[in-house]
Amino acid sequence: MSYLVRKIERSRWNGSDVATGRIKADVVASCIRPNGSELSVWFAENDNEIEQAKLAMLAAMNKLATVDLVILPITEIQEAGLKVATTLPKSGPESLRPLHRDIHDLDLDSLKVIAQIIQRHIMEKKSERLTREACKKILQGAIHKNLLSATELHEDIAKHMAAA
């Protein structure tokens, strides 16, 4: 089974309720935050590649921070009528860029569908928190294994890697 990994802001979902279907407007505005009609996600072909997708997401970030994420089965996204396309991001290590995807052709209705899917996974405790220190260890491990170079990371993150 294939997956999509998406960074979220878990605190924004407080007050949303899967039982009533209530989703706060702040969730779409400040957590889901589509770019135009696209939503950035990272692809994992199977369970074994989820860690690689997490690494790709972390390596493309601008700063080292605690990260909340959800891991969504791609079939769930596709069965909801949403379209997923391979796109290459402008940041992050070259070797990990092919893992990037966009959920595209979004409109207000499809944003609600995505919010409902994410909300369900959060309520079912299928979200994950990576502390700032855990993120740093993942990136350091990848550098140590020569999966990427600190020079390929955003300069603010690269500074933290050099200090380690």
Short mmCIF file of all heavy atoms in Angstrom, two decimals, residues 29-56:
data_model
loop_
_atom_site.label_atom_id
_atom_site.label_comp_id
_atom_site.label_asym_id
_atom_site.label_seq_id
_atom_site.Cartn_x
_atom_site.Cartn_y
_atom_site.Cartn_z
N ALA A 29 -7.13 27.43 6.87
CA ALA A 29 -6.34 28.65 6.67
C ALA A 29 -4.91 28.53 7.17
O ALA A 29 -3.99 29.04 6.54
CB ALA A 29 -7.04 29.82 7.36
N SER A 30 -4.69 27.85 8.30
CA SER A 30 -3.36 27.88 8.88
C SER A 30 -2.69 26.51 9.01
O SER A 30 -1.52 26.45 9.37
CB SER A 30 -3.40 28.57 10.24
OG SER A 30 -4.23 27.84 11.11
N CYS A 31 -3.40 25.44 8.74
CA CYS A 31 -2.77 24.12 8.83
C CYS A 31 -2.67 23.46 7.46
O CYS A 31 -1.59 23.09 7.03
CB CYS A 31 -3.54 23.21 9.79
SG CYS A 31 -2.84 21.56 9.89
N ILE A 32 -3.78 23.34 6.80
CA ILE A 32 -3.75 22.68 5.49
C ILE A 32 -3.03 23.57 4.49
O ILE A 32 -2.21 23.12 3.71
CB ILE A 32 -5.17 22.31 5.03
CG1 ILE A 32 -5.72 21.24 5.98
CG2 ILE A 32 -5.16 21.81 3.59
CD1 ILE A 32 -7.12 20.79 5.69
N ARG A 33 -3.30 24.86 4.49
CA ARG A 33 -2.61 25.87 3.69
C ARG A 33 -2.24 25.41 2.28
O ARG A 33 -1.05 25.25 1.96
CB ARG A 33 -1.33 26.31 4.40
CG ARG A 33 -1.50 27.20 5.54
CD ARG A 33 -0.18 27.75 6.06
NE ARG A 33 0.93 26.85 6.06
CZ ARG A 33 1.38 26.19 7.11
NH1 ARG A 33 0.81 26.33 8.26
NH2 ARG A 33 2.42 25.40 7.02
N PRO A 34 -3.20 25.25 1.42
CA PRO A 34 -2.84 24.90 0.04
C PRO A 34 -2.08 26.04 -0.62
O PRO A 34 -2.22 27.20 -0.24
CB PRO A 34 -4.19 24.67 -0.63
CG PRO A 34 -5.16 25.47 0.18
CD PRO A 34 -4.63 25.47 1.59
N ASN A 35 -1.27 25.69 -1.59
CA ASN A 35 -0.55 26.69 -2.39
C ASN A 35 -1.30 26.76 -3.72
O ASN A 35 -1.15 25.87 -4.56
CB ASN A 35 0.90 26.27 -2.59
CG ASN A 35 1.69 27.32 -3.33
OD1 ASN A 35 1.21 28.41 -3.60
ND2 ASN A 35 2.92 26.97 -3.68
N GLY A 36 -2.10 27.78 -3.87
CA GLY A 36 -2.97 27.84 -5.05
C GLY A 36 -3.98 26.72 -4.93
O GLY A 36 -4.71 26.63 -3.96
N SER A 37 -4.01 25.84 -5.88
CA SER A 37 -4.94 24.70 -5.85
C SER A 37 -4.20 23.39 -5.62
O SER A 37 -4.64 22.34 -6.05
CB SER A 37 -5.74 24.65 -7.14
OG SER A 37 -4.87 24.43 -8.23
N GLU A 38 -3.05 23.46 -4.92
CA GLU A 38 -2.23 22.27 -4.67
C GLU A 38 -1.86 22.15 -3.21
O GLU A 38 -1.67 23.15 -2.52
CB GLU A 38 -0.95 22.32 -5.51
CG GLU A 38 -1.22 22.39 -7.00
CD GLU A 38 0.03 22.52 -7.84
OE1 GLU A 38 1.05 23.02 -7.32
OE2 GLU A 38 -0.04 22.14 -9.00
N LEU A 39 -1.73 20.91 -2.76
CA LEU A 39 -1.33 20.62 -1.40
C LEU A 39 -0.11 19.70 -1.45
O LEU A 39 -0.15 18.62 -2.03
CB LEU A 39 -2.47 19.93 -0.64
CG LEU A 39 -2.25 19.69 0.83
CD1 LEU A 39 -2.14 21.01 1.59
CD2 LEU A 39 -3.39 18.86 1.39
N SER A 40 0.97 20.15 -0.85
CA SER A 40 2.24 19.43 -0.88
C SER A 40 2.22 18.23 0.07
O SER A 40 1.82 18.35 1.23
CB SER A 40 3.36 20.39 -0.47
OG SER A 40 4.59 19.75 -0.46
N VAL A 41 2.65 17.07 -0.42
CA VAL A 41 2.77 15.84 0.36
C VAL A 41 4.01 15.09 -0.09
O VAL A 41 4.61 15.41 -1.12
CB VAL A 41 1.52 14.94 0.22
CG1 VAL A 41 0.30 15.56 0.88
CG2 VAL A 41 1.22 14.63 -1.24
N TRP A 42 4.39 14.07 0.69
CA TRP A 42 5.56 13.25 0.36
C TRP A 42 5.12 11.80 0.23
O TRP A 42 4.34 11.30 1.03
CB TRP A 42 6.64 13.43 1.42
CG TRP A 42 7.11 14.85 1.43
CD1 TRP A 42 6.61 15.89 2.16
CD2 TRP A 42 8.12 15.41 0.59
NE1 TRP A 42 7.26 17.05 1.84
CE2 TRP A 42 8.21 16.79 0.89
CE3 TRP A 42 8.98 14.88 -0.37
CZ2 TRP A 42 9.11 17.64 0.26
CZ3 TRP A 42 9.89 15.73 -0.99
CH2 TRP A 42 9.94 17.09 -0.68
N PHE A 43 5.63 11.11 -0.76
CA PHE A 43 5.17 9.79 -1.17
C PHE A 43 6.04 8.67 -0.60
O PHE A 43 7.26 8.76 -0.59
CB PHE A 43 5.19 9.72 -2.70
CG PHE A 43 4.77 8.40 -3.25
CD1 PHE A 43 3.44 8.01 -3.24
CD2 PHE A 43 5.71 7.54 -3.82
CE1 PHE A 43 3.06 6.79 -3.77
CE2 PHE A 43 5.34 6.33 -4.35
CZ PHE A 43 4.00 5.95 -4.33
N ALA A 44 5.37 7.60 -0.15
CA ALA A 44 6.04 6.37 0.24
C ALA A 44 5.36 5.22 -0.49
O ALA A 44 4.13 5.08 -0.43
CB ALA A 44 5.95 6.16 1.75
N GLU A 45 6.13 4.44 -1.20
CA GLU A 45 5.59 3.32 -1.99
C GLU A 45 4.96 2.25 -1.10
O GLU A 45 3.99 1.61 -1.48
CB GLU A 45 6.71 2.70 -2.85
CG GLU A 45 6.26 1.58 -3.76
CD GLU A 45 5.41 2.09 -4.92
OE1 GLU A 45 5.71 3.15 -5.46
OE2 GLU A 45 4.44 1.38 -5.27
N ASN A 46 5.53 2.06 0.11
CA ASN A 46 5.03 1.03 1.02
C ASN A 46 5.43 1.39 2.45
O ASN A 46 6.06 2.42 2.68
CB ASN A 46 5.59 -0.34 0.61
CG ASN A 46 7.10 -0.33 0.49
OD1 ASN A 46 7.79 0.15 1.37
ND2 ASN A 46 7.62 -0.86 -0.62
N ASP A 47 5.10 0.50 3.39
CA ASP A 47 5.41 0.75 4.81
C ASP A 47 6.89 1.00 5.04
O ASP A 47 7.27 1.83 5.86
CB ASP A 47 4.98 -0.45 5.66
CG ASP A 47 3.47 -0.60 5.76
OD1 ASP A 47 2.76 0.38 5.50
OD2 ASP A 47 3.01 -1.71 6.09
N ASN A 48 7.74 0.26 4.32
CA ASN A 48 9.18 0.38 4.51
C ASN A 48 9.74 1.73 4.07
O ASN A 48 10.82 2.12 4.51
CB ASN A 48 9.92 -0.74 3.75
CG ASN A 48 9.54 -2.10 4.28
OD1 ASN A 48 9.26 -2.27 5.46
ND2 ASN A 48 9.53 -3.09 3.41
N GLU A 49 9.04 2.43 3.20
CA GLU A 49 9.55 3.70 2.67
C GLU A 49 8.98 4.93 3.38
O GLU A 49 9.30 6.06 3.01
CB GLU A 49 9.28 3.77 1.17
CG GLU A 49 10.10 2.75 0.39
CD GLU A 49 9.93 2.87 -1.11
OE1 GLU A 49 9.32 3.85 -1.59
OE2 GLU A 49 10.41 1.95 -1.80
N ILE A 50 8.15 4.73 4.39
CA ILE A 50 7.58 5.87 5.11
C ILE A 50 8.67 6.71 5.76
O ILE A 50 8.61 7.95 5.73
CB ILE A 50 6.53 5.40 6.15
CG1 ILE A 50 5.29 4.88 5.40
CG2 ILE A 50 6.15 6.53 7.09
CD1 ILE A 50 4.24 4.25 6.28
N GLU A 51 9.69 6.06 6.32
CA GLU A 51 10.78 6.82 6.94
C GLU A 51 11.51 7.68 5.91
O GLU A 51 11.93 8.80 6.22
CB GLU A 51 11.76 5.89 7.66
CG GLU A 51 11.16 5.16 8.84
CD GLU A 51 10.52 6.08 9.88
OE1 GLU A 51 11.17 7.08 10.27
OE2 GLU A 51 9.38 5.80 10.30
N GLN A 52 11.66 7.19 4.68
CA GLN A 52 12.29 7.95 3.61
C GLN A 52 11.44 9.18 3.26
O GLN A 52 11.97 10.27 3.02
CB GLN A 52 12.48 7.05 2.38
CG GLN A 52 13.24 7.68 1.26
CD GLN A 52 14.74 7.56 1.45
OE1 GLN A 52 15.24 7.16 2.48
NE2 GLN A 52 15.46 7.92 0.43
N ALA A 53 10.12 9.01 3.24
CA ALA A 53 9.23 10.15 2.96
C ALA A 53 9.31 11.19 4.08
O ALA A 53 9.32 12.40 3.82
CB ALA A 53 7.79 9.66 2.78
N LYS A 54 9.40 10.73 5.33
CA LYS A 54 9.56 11.65 6.45
C LYS A 54 10.87 12.42 6.31
O LYS A 54 10.92 13.63 6.52
CB LYS A 54 9.56 10.90 7.79
CG LYS A 54 8.23 10.35 8.19
CD LYS A 54 8.41 9.64 9.53
CE LYS A 54 7.26 8.76 9.87
NZ LYS A 54 7.49 8.02 11.14
N LEU A 55 11.94 11.70 5.95
CA LEU A 55 13.24 12.34 5.75
C LEU A 55 13.15 13.41 4.66
O LEU A 55 13.65 14.52 4.82
CB LEU A 55 14.30 11.31 5.40
CG LEU A 55 15.67 11.85 4.98
CD1 LEU A 55 16.30 12.66 6.11
CD2 LEU A 55 16.57 10.72 4.54
N ALA A 56 12.50 13.08 3.55
CA ALA A 56 12.37 14.04 2.45
C ALA A 56 11.63 15.29 2.92
O ALA A 56 12.02 16.42 2.60
CB ALA A 56 11.63 13.39 1.28
#
